[in-house]
Amino acid sequence: MNLIFLGPPGAGKGTQASLLSKTLNIPQISTGDILRSAVRAGTPMGVRAKSFMDSGSLVPDEVVVGIVEERLQEADCSSGFILDGFPRTVAQADALDAMLVRLCKQIEHVLSMSVDDEELLTRISGRRMCEKCGKGYHTLFDPPKVAGICDLCGASLYQRDDDKIETMRKRLVEYYNKTAPLIDYYTEKKLLCTISGVGTIDEIQSNILRGLEGSLRDNS
Ligand code: AP5
Ligand code: MG
């Protein structure tokens, strides 16, 4: 099954995409995670992306489109994939359509997660990430067993540079200006499935699985 997670920063795209990736045994492709790895590794793409990410702006379309096209051709995407954080502009969505035609693939569902701005700010300000395996936590809503330490690999947790409140506000503005128009884009293509992002992580996961039930039956 080929899926897209759409939603504002902090809506829970990464959290839910990671759970669903394990349930369906298909890869989660997070352009944010790929870009952060490139920044850490100091590659030319990472150097180019860093200033955009630090300021809360979107990275130029041509950079992320190239990343996704390469990633979708890897063997683990043959039985499906979950795009987390891509596409983020109408130009990216058009580029995705064209690349899917080239790769003989199609998107089956776009899961759009909605959460109000106040809750988004609370979620982002408490988010912590594992510096080694990338697992995400929240200091209040999804804390690790030992504060500051990843449950899975024992490495230290850190706060993302772009999770500062001023940068977060800029990311929200970018979302409403450039990404929210994709809700209409995918509604017109009859692919949109709206999921409330409010509730516990487990409740939302159950709602997503219920929403996908018909397709999961057809694919099995
Ligand atoms: P990216 O990494 O994609 O960040 P984002 O879209 O801003 O989204 P987040 O990762 O902040 O939120 P999320 O929805 O994944 O929430 P999460 O599950 O972590 O992008 C970062 C930057 O990279 C962009 O600003 C841009 O510069 C660049 N970029 C990336 N893709 C791009 C593209 N396609 N085009 C151009 N530029 C691109 O949850 C948040 C917190 O809430 C966590 O702490 C979690 O534990 C907690 N939480 C989750 N669910 C719940 C719940 N139900 N209840 C309570 N807490 C919850
Ligand atoms: Mg994310």
Side-chain angles (χ1 to χ4, degrees):
M1 188 180 296
N2 303 328
L3 303 169
I4 293 174
F5 268 98
L6 190 64
K13 304 181 296 297
T15 303
Q16 295 299 332
S18 164
L19 292 170
L20 198 58
S21 154
K22 290 182 187 95
T23 306
L24 303 182
N25 199 22
I26 52 176
Q28 168 192 8
I29 301 174
S30 159
T31 40
D33 288 348
I34 295 170
L35 289 166
R36 277 184 289 280
S37 297
V39 170
R40 272 198 300 277
T43 65
M45 178 180 75
V47 170
R48 184 161 178 222
K50 187 176 185 326
S51 59
F52 294 99
M53 296 173 80
D54 285 350
S55 70
S57 306
L58 292 181
V59 171
D61 291 333
E62 69 273 14
V63 176
V64 279
V65 166
I67 293 176
V68 173
E69 180 142 25
E70 250 177 51
R71 183 64 185 86
L72 289 183
Q73 292 177 67
E74 288 181 29
D76 63 342
C77 293
S78 60
S79 51
F81 54 80
I82 304 172
L83 289 172
D84 160 14
F86 180 92
R88 284 263 242 284
T89 62
V90 170
Q92 290 180 20
D94 287 338
L96 175 64
D97 277 353
M99 81 176 78
L100 290 173
V101 170
R102 285 194 291 279
L103 299 172
C104 299
K105 295 178 191 284
Q106 57 186 22
I107 296 296
E108 278 145 289
H109 298 284
V110 176
L111 302 166
S112 168
M113 302 186 66
S114 57
V115 176
D116 68 58
D117 289 2
E118 204 176 315
E119 172 73 11
L120 293 175
L121 292 170
T122 308
R123 288 188 186 180
I124 291 288
S125 58
R127 172 167 49 195
R128 299 293 181 273
M129 310 290 293
C130 173
E131 63 180 13
K132 191 164 168 214
C133 72
K135 177 166 169 38
Y137 295 88
H138 192 282
T139 49
L140 300 176
F141 307 133
D142 187 18
K145 293 192 182 85
V146 179
I149 303 292
C150 178
D151 293 349
L152 298 185
C153 70
S156 300
L157 305 185
Y158 73 99
Q159 185 165 28
R160 266 170 50 177
D161 286 344
D162 61 348
D163 279 352
K164 289 187 258 41
I165 195 85
E166 322 78 65
T167 319
M168 172 59 195
R169 287 191 196 285
K170 175 75 192 293
R171 283 161 60 203
L172 265 181
V173 171
E174 286 279 88
Y175 170 77
Y176 287 116
N177 287 341
K178 297 182 181 164
T179 309
L182 293 180
I183 294 174
D184 284 346
Y185 183 100
Y186 285 117
T187 302
E188 277 163 28
K189 290 182 183 282
K190 302 199 180 346
L191 291 175
L192 200 84
C193 173
T194 304
I195 307 281
S196 167
V198 181
T200 66
I201 291 171
D202 288 347
E203 283 164 356
I204 297 165
Q205 179 73 182
S206 304
N207 290 342
I208 290 173
L209 287 172
R210 248 197 313 279
L212 296 178
E213 224 162 39
S215 306
L216 290 172
R217 250 197 322 270
D218 294 346
N219 279 3
S220 65

